[in-house]
Amino acid sequence: MGQLDDHPDNRVKRRGPPAPLTATVLAAVVERPSHGYELTTRINRRMGTDWASRSVYDALDRLQKDNLLWSEEQKTAGVRSGWKRVFYATELGEQTRAAWSHEGQVLSKG
């Protein structure tokens, strides 16, 4: 994924289009905050794909480094460690997802 522009009025702009999985992961988190395994399952079921969990976690890491997501550990029953890292979209993440969605609609209209 490209770097975000530092100018406050252009915070949701980036150089080049997002990678398809990165855009999909951001959209899924905006839709419903989730932990990585749940995101992988939802994305694969919805898109008929077989993305590896590692690829989804890599996208989550990139999105978090770009301040589009934040995460926190939550105590969860039924998990070996008892904890899951749940990802949430930041305000910038929601704006970026909307901008990416709009760009995709404009590009598809040709």
Side-chain angles (χ1 to χ4, degrees):
M1 184 169 87
Q3 294 297 317
L4 296 175
D5 193 341
D6 288 333
H7 190 279
D9 294 335
N10 297 318
R11 291 188 321 165
V12 297
K13 293 183 181 177
R14 28 156 246 302
R15 294 179 202 118
L21 180 58
T22 301
T24 301
V25 169
L26 180 58
V29 174
V30 168
E31 180 181 278
R32 186 174 74 230
S34 307
H35 57 84
Y37 180 78
E38 180 185 344
L39 285 165
T40 302
T41 302
R42 281 176 35 214
I43 290 167
N44 285 334
R45 188 177 317 126
R46 180 177 290 171
M47 301 196 62
T49 57
D50 193 22
W51 289 104
S53 292
R54 184 72 259 150
S55 297
V56 173
Y57 282 103
D58 288 345
L60 288 166
D61 288 342
R62 283 190 303 276
L63 290 163
Q64 200 162 10
K65 285 178 186 173
D66 285 341
N67 297 315
L68 302 177
L69 299 180
W70 65 278
S71 65
E72 70 178 2
E73 294 280 335
Q74 291 184 355
K75 192 158 183 64
T76 307
V79 177
R80 256 184 289 154
S81 70
W83 296 90
K84 289 184 181 180
R85 178 160 297 283
V86 178
F87 293 87
Y88 301 87
T90 63
E91 183 178 338
L92 179 59
E94 291 178 10
Q95 293 169 355
T96 300
R97 192 256 182 219
W100 287 349
S101 178
H102 176 71
E103 287 174 11
Q105 290 172 0
V106 170
L107 291 174
S108 66
K109 290 179 183 177

